[in-house]
Amino acid sequence: MTAIIRNMTKIHVFRSRRAFGSQRILGGQHNAGGQRAFSCRPSTRPSAGGRVSAGIIGPLGLAVLLCLTAGCQVSRSDLHNPAKPSATAHSTPAPAPGGTGQTSDGWTITVYYTAVESFHHGQPRQVTGCPRQDCAHGNDPLGTYPTDFVAAVHDEGTGRITSGDHAGNYLNWSYDTGYWLDTVPADTTGQRLQSFSTAAADSGVLAQGARFTVATCGSEEDHSAVDPVACARLQAATWTIHDEFTPGLGGDKHIDLYVGEEDRVGFTDSPLYLTGTGARITIIG
């Protein structure tokens, strides 16, 4: 909530930052409440015809096998340091409107938010990670928080801490960094997420800095109408792509809109936590 990418080193989000349908990414995107995330697992079954699948020998083994067959060279560093996943989800870019002021149909809209610790009351869980932003997969103690709050941070990417030594700071998460403490709920550049302004998309769908408005919100996944008050709030804003999905959890014509902090217990049951399918947006810059 998705469930979003954080690069900055950071990938959020990604959003953790998110994916719609069953759940949003990062991340993503939403595992909490709405259960909107995709599970990406390699196949472990042999493929038809006796061929060996990538799931059996692993992507690196398959690459080596193909490379040896083709007669290319594989270095020792390649074997011991396989490349990290690309920060951009592999999706077919959505057809872009012809220019600014043009509308584009067939979008899926999801939203993501910053969790607030005081609205969560699960069993305490100790969290380890990075005590600062410029770090990855640290093992420092970051505090003890309700389990459901930690889960929401994992799914949405950010959470405001309201108790203990780190009260007033943020617990953030991204797939390439793990958990870290920050002074802001961070977007993919490490800057503060802006409510009803920041949006996320795969870079092949909408580029960083692209600006748009929501013309129509479409309908919910069960074909019911999107709550008109919630839709009106999204339509009143001008959105800018400053965030990205966790790789593999975005997709064609999918945008994720940041709506700020949760404001109640059970925020994921509120009308604003929506999925709009068949929506229309207007590109303005």
Side-chain angles (χ1 to χ4, degrees):
M1 33 169 34
T2 127
I4 302 52
I5 298 177
R6 308 232 183 252
N7 252 346
M8 30 154 238
T9 69
K10 305 220 164 284
I11 293 184
H12 146 129
V13 183
F14 58 47
R15 165 158 226 182
S16 156
R17 0 43 155 11
R18 317 149 170 274
F20 69 94
S22 56
Q23 158 208 332
R24 177 184 56 202
I25 157 176
L26 216 20
Q29 251 305 139
H30 317 181
N31 276 334
Q35 294 300 314
R36 306 172 169 190
F38 290 118
S39 173
C40 300
R41 303 188 177 199
S43 169
T44 57
R45 295 178 296 171
S47 56
R51 297 188 299 274
V52 180
S53 72
I56 295 291
I57 65 174
L60 181 58
L62 182 60
V64 172
L65 177 62
L66 294 175
C67 199
L68 291 175
T69 304
C72 61
Q73 296 180 348
V74 180
S75 70
R76 182 177 299 274
S77 63
D78 292 332
L79 294 175
H80 292 283
N81 298 290
K84 291 179 66 177
S86 168
T88 301
H90 296 289
S91 59
T92 304
T100 59
Q102 298 297 309
T103 60
S104 180
D105 296 322
W107 291 80
T108 294
I109 294 173
T110 51
V111 304
Y112 63 113
Y113 64 93
T114 293
V116 177
E117 183 190 358
S118 59
F119 293 129
H120 298 267
H121 306 287
Q123 292 297 311
R125 172 185 166 182
Q126 292 184 332
V127 178
T128 59
C130 293
R132 60 190 181 280
Q133 197 179 76
D134 56 341
C135 163
H137 299 295
N139 293 305
D140 292 275
L142 304 182
T144 299
Y145 310 101
T147 299
D148 52 339
F149 171 69
V150 177
V153 171
H154 181 279
D155 297 336
E156 303 299 324
T158 67
R160 181 164 60 86
I161 301 167
T162 59
S163 68
D165 294 340
H166 303 297
N169 289 326
Y170 293 84
L171 181 66
N172 292 340
W173 182 89
S174 68
Y175 93 98
D176 67 339
T177 300
Y179 292 100
W180 81 95
L181 293 176
D182 211 326
T183 57
V184 297
D187 65 18
T188 189
T189 66
Q191 302 301 307
R192 178 184 287 271
L193 292 164
Q194 301 295 327
S195 61
F196 290 91
S197 177
T198 298
D202 284 347
S203 60
V205 174
L206 285 176
Q208 287 287 305
R211 299 172 63 241
F212 65 92
T213 57
V214 175
T216 64
C217 295
S219 59
E220 292 279 3
E221 292 173 291
D222 62 359
H223 305 297
S224 63
V226 170
D227 181 87
V229 175
C231 179
R233 294 184 67 185
L234 303 183
Q235 289 176 310
T238 297
W239 303 92
T240 304
I241 300 296
H242 284 308
D243 225 347
E244 295 184 28
F245 286 105
T246 296
L249 295 177
D252 297 346
K253 288 196 168 185
H254 182 191
I255 50 177
D256 211 13
L257 310 180
Y258 177 67
V259 295
E261 293 188 351
E262 62 180 338
D263 58 3
R264 70 193 75 177
V265 174
F267 178 77
T268 56
D269 293 325
S270 70
L272 188 58
Y273 194 76
L274 59 83
T275 295
T277 63
R280 176 184 298 169
I281 67 172
T282 301
I283 307 295
I284 59 175

